[in-house]
């Protein structure tokens, strides 16, 4: 890890000596002590796919009145995520940088300051900074405050959903990062191969069923895949060199992506301008000029015929 900053294409502390990208393990993995409306704040960046999952869960579960949310600026420098004013302000703690949350929780914290962060305003600490946990916390622990019947982890599907999530994390959600931040041809190929193998597998699976774990029900696994797919053609294809296919070239995945995008409450959680500004503007090791490309034009509102698959057998 220590050598990464001296590498000519420095990736910061996540770049490894071996040319491979290693995502740091999240440091704070607790559950909330008590479930109370108005007590917790979710710190997010709209550009970030991991934070995006949490934004979607909060919306779908109807927790927006119970859990406050604040956004960091999608453009990040070496000081980490910042509150730069306007929509990117922190009315809850008045912080200028998200690092202040990490320092308040653990003065000796030495890792990267990542989003999402679930912050407890009473204990003044980060409860959890791992998006997979945050989804379960919102779905399970905050259930008494949820205002919709949405269940992202129904008991009868949980095992299947978790197995899907694991495969998708390794090869797709984190797979695009491993491809994009690889600093050797070998490391790139090690990531991009399994990425497209999984996309091929998904393309086939989604030809027979509407959603990943169940013909009718959208689960956490679908939303976790969604936040990567919705960024794919605009960012990962070009910026992370994941260019064997675009999602729009894979008819089942493309229909599935539109289906999810068109679900009530989802489209306005997707901010492609912020997404593009973040990725193209924040990774000088792979895109030193920071120029944000013009396209692509993607019509996420184009009709799809996925509903017909809903009743089909798994
Ligand atoms: N395992 C974490 C990963 C979160 C993560 O890596 N977020 C990125 C943004 S997309 C981040 O905040 N990075 C900060 C940095 O690298 O300085 C999770 O799923 O919550």
């Amino acid at each position: 890890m220590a050598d990464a900053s001296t590498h000519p294409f420095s990736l910061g502390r996540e770049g490894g000596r071996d040319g491979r990208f290693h995502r740091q393990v999240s440091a704070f993995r607790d559950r909330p002590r008590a479930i109370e409306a108005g007590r917790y704040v979710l710190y997010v960046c709209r550009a970030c796919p991991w934070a995006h999952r949490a934004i979607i869960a909060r919306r779908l579960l109807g927790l927006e009145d119970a859990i406050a949310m604040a956004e960091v600026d999608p453009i990040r420098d070496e000081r980490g995520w910042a509150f730069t004013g306007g929509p990117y302000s922190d009315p809850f703690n008045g912080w200028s940088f998200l690092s202040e949350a990490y320092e308040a929780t653990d003065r000796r914290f030495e890792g990267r300051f990542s989003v999402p962060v679930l912050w407890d305003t009473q204990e003044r600490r980060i409860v959890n900074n791992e998006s997979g946990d945050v989804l379960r916390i919102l779905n399970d622990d905050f259930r008494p405050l949820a205002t919709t019947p949405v269940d992202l982890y129904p008991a009868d599907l949980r095992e299947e959903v978790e197995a899907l999530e694991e495969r998708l994390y390794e090869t797709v959600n984190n797979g695009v990062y491993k491809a994009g931040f690889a600093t050797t041809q070998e490391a790139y190929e090690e990531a991009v191969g399994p990425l497209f193998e999984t996309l091929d597998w998904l393309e086939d699976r989604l030809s027979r069923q509407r959603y990943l774990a169940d013909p009718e029900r959208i689960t956490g696994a679908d939303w976790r895949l969604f936040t990567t797919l919705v960024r794919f053609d605009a960012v990962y294809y070009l910026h992370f060199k994941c260019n064997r296919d675009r999602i729009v070239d894979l008819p089942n995945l493309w229909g599935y992506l539109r289906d999810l995008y068109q679900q009530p409450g989802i489209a306005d959680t997707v901010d492609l301008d912020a997404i593009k500004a973040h990725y193209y503007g924040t990774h000088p090791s792979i895109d030193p000029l920071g120029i944000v490309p013009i396209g692509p034009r993607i019509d996420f509102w184009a009709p799809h015929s996925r509903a017909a698959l809903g009743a089909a057998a798994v």
Side-chain angles (χ1 to χ4, degrees):
M1 298 257 278
D3 65 313
S5 57
T6 58
H7 189 282
F9 303 105
S10 172
L11 299 178
R13 277 169 292 177
E14 287 189 326
R17 195 190 292 272
D18 55 5
R20 299 183 180 88
F21 171 76
H22 301 278
R23 185 171 296 282
Q24 77 172 6
V25 175
S26 301
F28 305 107
R29 307 286 303 267
D30 208 357
R31 300 197 90 108
R33 210 84 77 194
I35 298 303
E36 292 163 25
R39 172 166 171 168
Y40 299 90
V41 181
L42 190 60
Y43 285 99
V44 298
C45 174
R46 265 177 205 278
C48 166
W50 319 97
H52 193 185
R53 305 165 161 183
I55 297 172
I56 288 174
R58 172 175 173 267
R59 162 79 47 95
L60 293 178
L61 291 158
L63 286 168
E64 291 179 314
D65 291 335
I67 305 175
M69 190 169 93
E71 283 178 48
V72 296
D73 192 317
I75 303 294
R76 188 180 75 209
D77 64 20
E78 63 290 347
R79 294 169 297 176
W81 297 116
F83 300 99
T84 53
Y88 308 125
S89 301
D90 170 26
F92 309 103
N93 288 294
W95 290 324
S96 301
F97 292 96
L98 188 66
S99 58
E100 294 168 63
Y102 283 80
E103 277 145 22
T105 308
D106 176 2
R107 275 191 299 121
R108 285 163 311 187
F109 179 79
E110 284 193 334
R112 302 182 70 89
F113 311 117
S114 62
V115 284
V117 155
L118 184 65
W119 172 261
D120 182 341
T121 58
Q122 275 189 29
E123 294 185 340
R124 303 201 48 75
R125 61 165 190 136
I126 296 175
V127 177
N128 203 300
N129 72 332
E130 169 55 43
S131 62
D133 292 352
V134 171
L135 289 196
R136 282 162 182 76
I137 290 170
L138 299 192
N139 192 73
D140 301 344
D141 301 35
F142 280 91
R143 174 67 47 194
L145 299 181
T147 58
T148 72
V150 166
D151 186 356
L152 301 175
Y153 294 94
D156 61 317
L157 289 179
R158 198 166 278 233
E159 224 168 278
E160 165 88 355
V161 169
E162 287 177 350
L164 282 161
E165 288 186 345
E166 199 176 313
R167 174 167 187 180
L168 295 178
Y169 172 79
E170 285 302 329
T171 57
V172 180
N173 303 130
N174 203 34
V176 294
Y177 282 85
K178 289 193 277 192
F181 285 125
T183 57
T184 64
Q185 185 68 33
E186 189 192 2
Y188 165 73
E189 285 171 13
E190 254 174 45
V192 82
L195 164 65
F196 281 98
E197 268 167 40
T198 299
L199 292 183
D200 287 340
W201 175 76
L202 290 167
E203 178 64 8
D204 177 59
R205 186 177 178 101
L206 292 168
S207 69
R208 293 186 299 276
Q209 66 186 63
R210 187 171 181 185
Y211 302 117
L212 280 184
D214 184 88
E216 308 277 353
R217 287 176 288 176
I218 309 180
T219 64
D222 294 295
W223 293 118
R224 288 168 53 129
L225 178 57
F226 172 77
T227 67
T228 295
L229 293 183
V230 81
R231 285 160 176 73
F232 201 96
D233 292 359
V235 173
Y236 303 143
Y237 181 89
L238 180 64
H239 184 62
F240 281 173
K241 302 190 184 74
C242 298
N243 68 346
R244 199 202 72 182
D245 302 288
R246 301 170 302 172
I247 299 304
V248 298
D249 300 321
L250 302 168
N252 297 305
L253 270 165
W254 172 221
Y256 167 81
L257 172 56
R258 272 150 36 232
D259 186 359
L260 292 177
Y261 184 91
Q262 294 171 20
Q263 295 297 317
I266 298 304
D268 77 356
T269 69
V270 179
D271 184 344
L272 267 189
D273 289 336
I275 289 168
K276 288 168 59 177
H278 163 65
Y279 282 94
Y280 292 105
T282 299
H283 299 139
S285 65
I286 52 176
D287 212 334
L289 296 177
I291 291 170
V292 181
I294 187 170
R297 290 194 286 186
I298 309 172
D299 183 6
F300 290 111
W301 287 110
H304 64 83
S305 47
R306 303 283 305 165
L309 284 170
V314 180

